[in-house]
Amino acid sequence: MSSGQFVPMVSLEHPEALENLHRDFQHAGSDIVEAFTYNAHREKMRVIGEEELLEPLNRAALKIAKKVAISTPKGIEPNLMAGNISNSNIWKENDLKSQLEVEKMFTQMVGWAVEEGADILIGETFYYAEEAYKALKVMKKTGLPCVITIAPMGENIMRDGISIVDTCKELEQLGGDVVGMNCFRGPATMMPYLKEVRKALKCHVAALPINFRTTNEYPTFFNLPDNNGCTCHSPHGRTFPTALDSLQCNRYEIGKFAKEAFGLGVNYLGVCCGANPMLIREIAESVGLKVPASKYREDMSAHFMYGTNKRIPRHMKDYGDKA
Ligand SMILES: [Zn+2]
């Protein structure tokens, strides 16, 4: 899919690639196959002029997710298939018209998810507290278990002025089975809020950071200066950073985050933007799980210079210092 519009046309254009990606994550230990309908909502489809594909795109994504969820590797329980709704980007405070439009979008997508056999529902990446409440209310009507995660921007508060902790408390009161945070923030700038949220809530808590080294100065990837020469703080205005590659967290940093979060009692874990199967395996293993992909974790014992295998010749081991 294209960076910028971020509409998951892949479900229709390259379904085999999406199916395979889901299988990679499943192999790495993911317990949930989330239908790839992030941004596959009416407003975004209007933006790209493809509104007539809204329902086919949603149903295709849900069917692919269901197919993968029920066909796990040998010895692994079937996964849960999750329907997904997310930030609409048209929600506006004190504007009933936009709010009704968003509610209609949520209701329609949740309806399709139920029809296609979703086991749970995930509402994610909300930066308005009230929009998250609305999403949860719509999802709760189905009777399915609901995960709801918020994504506060760089102001460290929801856009409608409600604190991160208060938003999560309200989501728990509204019946969220799992409440927490996803996206925009890397491990370093999500963890401090997670600690507060975990203390304040009794329900399950979720943590799905982005895979980038955000800092107190740059708490989200929107304001993290990238290596493109043209940073988001350039004189001609901010833009979305597309050259953050060198600022990615490595597997050990993500593993450390997951272990710490799990230690606090945060037991719904994942990675948002920047995720890859290796990182999901790292999370699974850091909380003590063995997964199919554990077979392929790094093992330097047979490395041609740094290995310990007795067949590695002395002259190659010696060369390791100069390599
Ligand atoms: Zn994300």
Side-chain angles (χ1 to χ4, degrees):
M1 77 184 176
S2 171
S3 201
Q5 57 169 246
F6 298 113
V7 177
M9 296 303 287
V10 64
S11 296
L12 294 174
E13 293 172 356
H14 298 283
E16 71 295 338
L18 178 59
E19 181 181 332
N20 207 45
L21 184 61
H22 280 313
R23 290 201 189 283
D24 273 351
F25 280 113
Q26 181 181 65
H27 185 248
S30 181
D31 303 302
I32 296 172
V33 184
E34 182 176 8
F36 194 14
T37 57
Y38 182 81
N39 268 347
H41 57 62
R42 190 172 295 282
E43 174 57 22
K44 200 78 194 189
M45 297 303 278
R46 278 179 183 152
V47 169
I48 65 162
E50 301 276 16
E51 195 180 351
E52 77 286 356
L53 292 178
L54 175 67
E55 185 172 349
L57 184 62
N58 271 264
R59 290 201 186 271
L62 287 155
K63 280 186 199 326
I64 293 166
K66 190 71 186 178
K67 181 182 173 190
V68 176
I70 59 176
S71 58
T72 38
K74 209 167 163 247
I76 306 285
E77 276 182 72
N79 292 158
L80 297 170
M81 190 275 266
N84 166 262
I85 54 174
S86 53
N87 53 311
S88 66
N89 307 322
I90 54 169
W91 183 272
K92 203 169 165 208
E93 270 179 273
N94 308 317
D95 178 358
L96 199 60
K97 191 167 168 281
S98 81
Q99 298 181 1
L100 276 172
E101 178 71 20
V102 173
E103 183 173 359
K104 272 200 299 193
M105 283 163 44
F106 289 162
T107 302
Q108 200 170 34
M109 288 177 74
V110 163
W112 291 327
V114 170
E115 284 172 23
E116 297 295 342
D119 302 297
I120 66 168
L121 297 170
I122 298 173
E124 64 180 9
T125 326
F126 295 106
Y127 46 89
Y128 279 106
E130 297 279 352
E131 188 182 26
Y133 304 159
K134 179 62 75 183
L136 182 55
K137 284 177 192 164
V138 170
M139 295 195 300
K140 284 298 287 182
K141 284 185 193 160
T142 65
L144 290 175
C146 296
V147 179
I148 182 96
T149 52
I150 58 169
M153 300 271 192
E155 297 174 303
N156 298 323
I157 190 166
M158 302 304 277
R159 192 166 177 193
D160 34 13
I162 304 170
S163 79
I164 295 169
V165 173
D166 285 345
T167 305
C168 289
K169 279 165 123 172
E170 180 63 17
L171 289 167
E172 181 178 42
Q173 288 307 310
L174 291 170
D177 297 285
V178 183
V179 174
M181 300 173 77
N182 79 290
C183 211
F184 301 166
R185 289 160 187 271
T189 53
M190 184 177 283
M191 184 55 83
Y193 294 100
L194 273 183
K195 287 181 179 167
E196 287 184 46
V197 170
R198 179 59 285 178
K199 263 190 234 153
L201 267 54
K202 291 191 181 63
C203 66
H204 293 293
V205 171
L208 301 95
I210 57 166
N211 176 36
F212 295 96
R213 292 174 184 148
T214 52
T215 63
N216 283 342
E217 191 182 358
Y218 306 115
T220 70
F221 64 7
F222 292 115
N223 48 49
L224 197 58
D226 72 13
N227 286 349
N228 205 11
C230 174
T231 74
C232 52
H233 297 286
S234 69
H236 47 272
R238 280 169 64 161
T239 181
F240 187 80
T242 50
L244 293 174
D245 308 51
S246 63
L247 296 173
Q248 288 185 71
C249 301
N250 62 44
R251 68 186 81 180
Y252 308 109
E253 291 170 292
I254 290 293
K256 186 169 166 276
F257 170 84
K259 197 168 182 179
E260 186 181 354
F262 193 65
L264 293 170
V266 174
N267 51 9
Y268 181 106
L269 295 162
V271 179
C272 201
C273 303
N276 66 54
M278 179 185 73
L279 299 177
I280 298 303
R281 178 186 68 193
E282 198 68 28
I283 287 179
E285 292 184 343
S286 70
V287 301
L289 298 171
K290 194 164 190 301
V291 299
S294 295
K295 183 182 170 188
Y296 303 103
R297 76 165 294 111
E298 60 273 24
D299 168 16
M300 295 307 143
S301 64
H303 190 273
F304 76 101
M305 283 189 302
Y306 305 112
T308 49
N309 186 291
K310 63 180 187 325
R311 290 192 58 83
I312 315 284
R314 181 84 253 162
H315 76 282
M316 287 312 299
K317 282 190 181 172
D318 292 348
Y319 202 40
D321 291 342
K322 299 192 183 71

